[in-house]
């Protein structure tokens, strides 16, 4: 971010286009400062959406994004373990084009995305992680990515610093 108060414009749906991740470009416009990859018991809502039994293990990828050294977003992705385990998706560095390019290589390219956007008060943990005032809200985006067969291949829960982001949606009529 060049100047204090300047917002990051998050343009959708173009940023998720296959052209972007197939070319090896990231879909994120910030630097990754922290990546954690592990296996966890799927939270109830995640298990239901992924079509796995509650508590079944899934791959979790958690990232923190920064601009000019300031945290602006966190993202936590959940992927079916039988799809992602033992692949570059289970590594901190997934390679050019990220998770979506790796899913395509596995025959599960995401072709449909649904994003739900919610503005709500930040939790104490979110305030601490994103350096927010306790009274501030966050933008919560939950993205579901599906492949050509309709299989949900990723659920991504993003928390955006509300003073830093502007959401822009462009599409043809």
């Amino acid at each position: 971010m060049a100047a204090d108060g300047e917002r990051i414009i998050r343009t959708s749906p173009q940023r998720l286009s296959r052209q972007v991740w197939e070319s090896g470009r990231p879909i994120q416009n910030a630097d990754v400062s922290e990546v954690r990859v592990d296996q966890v018991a799927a939270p109830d809502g995640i298990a239901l959406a992924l079509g796995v039994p509650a508590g079944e293990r899934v791959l979790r990828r958690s990232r923190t994004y920064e601009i000019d050294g300031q945290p602006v977003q966190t993202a936590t992705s959940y992927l079916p373990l039988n799809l992602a385990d033992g692949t570059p998706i289970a590594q901190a560095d997934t390679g050019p084009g990220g998770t979506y390019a790796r899913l395509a290589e596995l025959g599960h390219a995401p072709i449909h995305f649904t994003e739900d956007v919610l503005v709500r008060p930040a939790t104490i943990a979110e305030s601490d992680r994103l350096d927010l005032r306790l009274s501030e809200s966050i933008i919560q985006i939950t993205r579901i990515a599906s492949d050509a067969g309709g299989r949900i291949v990723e659920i991504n829960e993003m928390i955006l610093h509300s003073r830093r982001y502007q959401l822009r949606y462009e599409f043809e009529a």
Side-chain angles (χ1 to χ4, degrees), residues 1-59:
M1 196 168 332
D4 189 35
E6 185 177 332
R7 291 185 181 260
I8 302 159
I9 298 177
R10 182 182 186 275
T11 304
S12 292
Q14 295 83 355
R15 61 189 296 279
L16 295 174
S17 76
R18 188 175 191 137
Q19 281 181 316
V20 171
W21 48 263
E22 259 188 356
S23 70
R25 293 179 296 185
I27 64 170
Q28 180 56 257
N29 57 352
D31 295 327
V32 180
S33 65
E34 178 184 351
V35 177
R36 287 179 292 154
V37 183
D38 56 2
Q39 294 179 18
V40 297
D44 290 343
I46 299 297
L48 180 64
L50 288 176
V52 301
E56 183 169 308
R57 297 194 72 69
V58 294
L59 184 78

Side-chain angles (χ1 to χ4, degrees), residues 64-75:
T64 299
Y65 296 95
E66 292 183 352
I67 292 186
D68 296 334
Q70 298 297 310
V72 295
Q73 177 183 335
T74 63

Side-chain angles (χ1 to χ4, degrees), residues 78-162:
Y78 298 91
L79 299 101
L81 196 57
N82 64 359
L83 180 65
D85 192 33
T87 73
I89 296 168
Q91 303 299 314
D93 182 358
T94 57
T99 297
Y100 295 154
R102 302 299 76 78
L103 285 168
E105 292 167 358
L106 296 169
H108 293 279
I111 64 154
H112 181 80
F113 297 97
T114 300
E115 286 191 346
D116 288 320
V117 179
L118 176 69
V119 176
R120 62 170 175 76
T123 65
I124 292 172
E126 290 163 345
S127 293
D128 289 345
R129 196 160 182 197
L130 293 177
D131 197 26
L132 296 168
R133 296 179 211 114
L134 284 177
S135 62
E136 286 188 280
S137 295
I138 51 92
I139 301 169
Q140 176 182 313
I141 300 174
T142 302
R143 178 172 59 233
I144 299 175
S146 305
D147 68 10
R151 179 181 184 183
I152 294 175
V153 295
E154 180 208 36
I155 298 172
N156 188 351
E157 296 178 334
M158 296 161 272
I159 304 297
L160 285 66
H161 192 300
S162 61

